[in-house]
Amino acid sequence: MKNASTTINISSSTLTILCNDELNPPLHSEHGFSILIEKSGEPTVLFDTGTTDVFIKNAFIFGKDLSKVEYIVISHGHYDHAGGLKYLTTFGKKFKVFLRKDAFLPKYSGERFTGIDWESIKDAFEFVIINEKLVKITNSIYAFGPAWMKNNFEEPDPNFQVIKNGEKVRDFFEEELNLVIDEGDGIILITGCAHRGIINIVQDAIELFGKKVRLLIGGFHLYKSPREKIQMVVSILRQLSIEQIIPLHCSGELIREILL
């Protein structure tokens, strides 16, 4: 993300990247993702919170007042997307947080715990459990997921596991949420990590909204993928006529090079 813009303006929407693995100084960086969505005439939405308080520090640098955030959407239960929640408890406000219930489950990568301590913050937020495929957050901002897994070359990393019903099983990220901003003549699609496949998610969004994707931004989880797979992904994304693509966080450098 170095040398790239951290603020994106499309129509009446402003997106500010508050947390990413690489940001230019004086901004702070960490392994994590958080993006602030401000749309004219609508409540402010925060999508993910990174790992620590980096997103808060960067918001201060940008001059953004996070106390004005009305809604928070958590893409999934990993620490690098939900870990920053606990740092919002000092704001003296009970933020409304949208997520799917499986985000609360203990998460692992092999033997390493990759979730967060939900118990310690359970009373500090107003958690809204999403059960539907598509949920309206504001007049034009939606959360949707999990994406249907349709193709045979995208699936979650088998090293990721989750404890369900007392048993550690492979994690298919059934709680994964993505964000869509409906701009009328097209949509902005924001992904947290795209564990269920960036192509699956994009095609899902196009089917749900019936509109072209003006901007695709977020984590694509391709940093471990071989060149052949990334080239295939880029080829399909180009066939889908996406106007602008900004891979962040876990996307990896290779997709950025191929997209140039």
Side-chain angles (χ1 to χ4, degrees), residues 78 118 213 226:
H78 276 170
W118 292 101
V213 179

Side-chain angles (χ1 to χ4, degrees), residues 107-176:
K107 301 272 191 175
Y108 290 86
S109 177
E111 296 301 314
R112 181 171 65 95
F113 181 66
T114 55
I116 72 166
D117 181 7
W118 292 101
E119 184 67 22
S120 66
I121 60 171
K122 67 177 183 179
D123 297 323
F125 298 93
E126 181 184 346
F127 290 107
V128 180
I129 306 302
I130 292 177
N131 297 308
E132 298 81 11
K133 170 80 174 186
L134 178 66
V135 171
K136 195 171 190 177
I137 306 297
T138 72
N139 284 339
S140 58
I141 300 176
Y142 299 79
F144 81 92
W148 290 295
M149 296 175 62
K150 293 183 176 181
N151 63 55
N152 60 3
F153 62 90
E154 290 185 307
E155 62 178 20
D157 186 331
N159 288 319
F160 287 124
Q161 296 175 303
V162 61
I163 294 180
K164 282 189 174 183
N165 302 316
E167 182 181 0
K168 187 184 278 189
V169 297
R170 184 174 175 182
D171 194 350
F172 285 95
F173 295 92
E174 294 172 355
E175 85 273 23
E176 188 171 60

